Amino acid sequence: MKNKADVVIIGGGIIGTATAYYLAKSGIKDIVVLEKSYISSGATGRCGAGVRQQWGLEMNCALAKGSVDIFENLSKELNFDIEYRQGGYLVLAHNETQVEQFKRNLAVQSKFNIPSRLISIEEALEICPYLNTDTFVAATFCQTDGHANPFRTNFAYAYAAEKLGVEINKFTEATDIIVENGRITGVMTDKGRIDTPIVVNAAGGYSKDVAALAGIDIPTYSERHQILVSEPIERLFDTMVISFQIGIYTQQVPHGSIVMGISEKEEPSYNINSSWQFTEYMVKQAINILPIFKDLRIVRQWAGLYNKTPDAQPIVGEVDELPGFFQAVGFSGHGFMIGPKTSKILAQLIAGMEPDMDISPLSMKRFEKGELILEPSVVG
Amino acid sequence: MKREDIVICRCEDITLGEIRECIERGATTLEEIKRELRCGMGPCQGTTCMPLIRRELARYLCMPVEEIDLPTKRPPLIVSKFESILEGKESEE
Ligand SMILES: Cc1cc2nc3c(=O)[nH]c(=O)nc-3n(C[C@H](O)[C@H](O)[C@H](O)COP(=O)(O)OP(=O)(O)OC[C@H]3O[C@@H](n4cnc5c(N)ncnc54)[C@H](O)[C@@H]3O)c2cc1C
Ligand code: FES
């Protein structure tokens, strides 16, 4: 392991590895990634990997659209197949109030050239013939939404970063961040010290602990979210089906299995055990919106951590009180889909380049000022 | 048939060659190989393939087989139908 670096990134999920890749691409030389376990061991390797541009806030629309533009060419750029597919996202509206909210969302989305639209029950059935029409009144659909293979995306960024000279240290934990005279001078790990002026907190579910190593208090917390997968079956539909009201998402992945998750009431914790309560609740809600699922067979279920913030938007950028300490945390359940663009902009900020877009509203300062704008369209 | 073409993971149809490539790219744990290639994610949950892949990885890393951790098995350990979960049955008739 190097004992000196220009940038040390803590976390080997999509955010840490993508930031390392974009930094290396911009010409920064000595970059070290620390991952306390293996690559993709965190939320990235446990997520639904859905990619949706149908958001209610401009910031999320911009980051999601920007990420889709990257995802579309990513297999080629990184020379590794990330299995990105654009089967669309179908968002169910269960009542007229939701239809009105969705119309407002669509107006925001159209500003970013996101090709989403309001559709009737009949049109929804053309896209997914198995929907239970008793459960919704209308829907929105965006064909360019989709999903990628989360493991392969994470590995693709890691391998590409390594090819550009990034040192990735697996099974290496950051145990302290050394601050002298108000500036970062190094990171302690369980394998020794690395001198560095810049540290990036990309620790996912452990973001609060890592910020605390630098003496910084951040308002993130973690929450268990569970997910399950069925045996592969014949092709049923290509779209992701979601409902904000029920907190459910489900889709058939290219491999043929059906992946589904649902939000439950959870206390903040680091618990990632599976529960049978989830299985029962998930199965019941899934069969309700898609009755054909009653014949599915479950093969596996697991859980991961959502790292949440009070307004369900991430914290991204440099910390004012501690120059050299950058963060990209608190993705609140949508860090995969906005990961590529967010990481690219973060790398631009670290490298002192002009960023593609202004993300200063994602600074931590918003919590002090109380300028919270809640995203209306989250699952979870 | 070449050695590389031998199917190691029958559930997910993964060959020895694909596993070797993955190890050469830098995977050092069975969890990583499972995530990259899907082997171990099939209905048998890796009962068939993981011992073989473990031996292959141990040989490459020059480590004793016992020192390579086996990946987590995810519940349920028997494949059950949604309908029977809903009805609270243990397994299918
Ligand atoms: C069940 C579930 C479903 C989801 N579905 C979606 C979805 O459909 N679409 C979507 O966009 N998002 C989804 N998400 C959210 C998404 O997974 C996350 O927002 C995203 O993966 C975050 O990436 P990350 O790199 O920040 O974190 P992670 O992937 O968690 O990576 C952080 C890494 O940091 C490491 N680490 C922590 N502390 C230290 C330390 N001290 N030293 C060294 N390493 C450390 C951890 O081991 C971990 O590997 C889902 C999440 C869950 C749990
Ligand atoms: S043989 Fe590999 S999962 Fe069954």
Side-chain angles (χ1 to χ4, degrees), chain A residues 38-41 45-46 80 149 151-152 155 159 162 170-171 228 231 255 257 260 274 279-280 283-284 286-287 293-302, chain B residues 11-12 22 25-29 31-38 40-43 45 72 74-86 88 92:
Chain A
Y38 49 87
I39 298 298
S40 220
S41 58
R46 299 165 182 277
F80 196 78
N149 177 320
F151 317 119
R152 296 188 64 92
F155 289 124
Y159 293 144
E162 282 180 320
K170 296 188 277 186
F171 297 100
L228 65 78
E231 267 185 1
H255 171 257
S257 46
M260 60 186 77
S274 302
T279 323
E280 285 192 4
V283 162
K284 191 166 163 221
I287 293 178
F293 282 1
K294 71 180 183 351
D295 293 325
L296 289 180
R297 285 160 207 273
I298 171 174
V299 263
R300 278 174 297 129
Q301 74 177 73
W302 65 95
Chain B
C11 296
E12 299 291 341
C22 179
R25 268 196 294 271
T28 53
T29 58
E31 288 283 3
E32 286 166 301
I33 298 172
K34 171 178 165 186
R35 280 165 158 75
E36 190 174 317
L37 297 179
R38 305 193 57 85
M41 292 190 184
Q45 296 250 15
T72 329
R74 310 283 194 198
L77 296 181
I78 38 162
V79 173
S80 32
K81 208 168 168 181
F82 272 33
E83 216 173 11
S84 45
I85 294 171
L86 200 60
E92 292 169 58

Side-chain angles (χ1 to χ4, degrees), chain B residues 7-14 38-50 53:
Chain B
V7 174
I8 299 285
C9 174
R10 290 169 188 276
C11 296
E12 299 291 341
D13 198 20
I14 309 289
R38 305 193 57 85
C39 39
M41 292 190 184
C44 89
Q45 296 250 15
T47 316
T48 326
C49 60
M50 275 303 155
I53 302 173

Side-chain angles (χ1 to χ4, degrees), chain B residues 33-73:
Chain B
I33 298 172
K34 171 178 165 186
R35 280 165 158 75
E36 190 174 317
L37 297 179
R38 305 193 57 85
C39 39
M41 292 190 184
C44 89
Q45 296 250 15
T47 316
T48 326
C49 60
M50 275 303 155
L52 302 172
I53 302 173
R54 194 184 188 199
R55 230 185 306 147
E56 188 62 30
L57 185 61
R59 197 175 311 139
Y60 188 89
L61 299 176
C62 302
M63 271 165 75
V65 174
E66 313 76 60
E67 282 182 24
I68 308 264
D69 290 334
L70 283 168
T72 329
K73 284 207 175 160

Side-chain angles (χ1 to χ4, degrees), chain A residues 236-256:
Chain A
L236 292 179
F237 52 89
D238 293 328
T239 185
M240 176 85 91
V241 175
I242 68 170
S243 156
F244 299 126
Q245 179 178 304
I246 310 172
I248 196 171
Y249 60 90
T250 182
Q251 74 174 143
Q252 187 169 25
V253 297
H255 171 257

